[in-house]
């Protein structure tokens, strides 16, 4: 059986799009000592309550070792603090410092600007369909058995 490889697959289009978006965010972020990953981590953290450290990785699809390394770096930069949860001492909360809140605001603005641009150029009706399609693709990928 001969394997035929398409030049353009759904996976390649999604990956190309994500790389373009990531490059765009990195170009904006470099002026503020931010990367796409750092920005998305900051956006996961509630600005008043913080977030359990164990919730960030699954929300962003990050491996634990990579996340710990990144959180360590963010703590050294003074953007976050780790605190024991008041109700459960086993739980570590990630909270933003004043510097971290500023970086989070920069990240939020970049995402909002991009979303507004996308909405303006594509339209809400098509984006609703896109959201439905990408959700189904994610579900299919999540259900696919590993080979």
């Amino acid at each position: 059986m001969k394997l035929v490889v398409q030049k353009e697959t759904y996976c390649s289009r999604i990956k190309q799009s994500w790389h373009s978006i990531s490059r765009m965010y990195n170009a904006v972020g470099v002026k503020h000592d931010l990367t796409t990953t750092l920005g998305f981590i900051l956006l996961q953290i509630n600005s008043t309550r913080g977030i359990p450290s164990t919730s960030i990785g699954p929300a962003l699809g990050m491996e634990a070792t990579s996340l710990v390394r990144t959180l360590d770096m963010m703590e050294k930069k003074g953007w976050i603090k780790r605190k024991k949860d008041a109700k459960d001492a086993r739980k570590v909360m990630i909270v933003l410092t004043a510097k971290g809140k500023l970086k989070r605001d920069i990240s939020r603005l970049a995402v909002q600007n991009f979303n507004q641009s996308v909405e303006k150029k594509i339209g809400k009706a098509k984006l609703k369909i896109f959201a439905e399609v990408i959700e189904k693709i994610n579900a299919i990928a999540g259900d696919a058995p590993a080979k």
Side-chain angles (χ1 to χ4, degrees), residues 1-9:
M1 180 162 129
K2 187 176 180 181
L3 179 65
V4 177
V5 179
Q6 292 178 311
K7 288 185 179 183
E8 287 288 327
T9 64

Side-chain angles (χ1 to χ4, degrees), residues 95-114:
V95 294
L96 294 170
T97 63
K99 206 176 195 180
K101 287 179 183 181
L102 177 65
K103 297 293 183 179
R104 184 180 187 279
D105 288 344
I106 293 165
S107 300
R108 186 171 28 87
L109 186 60
V111 171
Q112 287 173 340
N113 288 340
F114 178 67

Side-chain angles (χ1 to χ4, degrees), residues 9-108:
T9 64
Y10 302 119
C11 295
S12 68
R13 289 178 180 168
I14 292 167
K15 187 172 182 169
Q16 288 166 358
S17 294
W18 173 245
H19 282 294
S20 294
I21 293 166
S22 185
R23 279 192 303 273
M24 176 208 52
Y25 282 140
N26 283 332
V28 171
V30 74
K31 302 169 195 163
H32 305 282
D33 192 29
L34 285 164
T35 64
T36 302
T37 300
L38 292 172
F40 278 104
I41 290 172
L42 290 165
L43 291 171
Q44 289 296 311
I45 304 170
N46 182 290
S47 61
T48 54
R49 294 187 312 272
I51 188 172
S53 60
T54 54
S55 298
I56 299 171
L60 298 176
M62 286 184 77
E63 295 295 325
T65 53
S66 179
L67 178 62
V68 168
R69 214 175 15 252
T70 305
L71 291 175
D72 286 345
M73 184 267 302
M74 292 171 78
E75 192 170 33
K76 285 178 187 165
K77 288 179 181 261
W79 299 359
I80 62 166
K81 288 183 184 179
R82 290 178 168 105
K83 290 187 176 180
K84 296 274 185 193
D85 185 284
K87 296 177 185 172
D88 184 351
R90 297 170 296 172
K91 196 186 288 186
V92 175
M93 297 294 290
I94 304 298
V95 294
L96 294 170
T97 63
K99 206 176 195 180
K101 287 179 183 181
L102 177 65
K103 297 293 183 179
R104 184 180 187 279
D105 288 344
I106 293 165
S107 300
R108 186 171 28 87

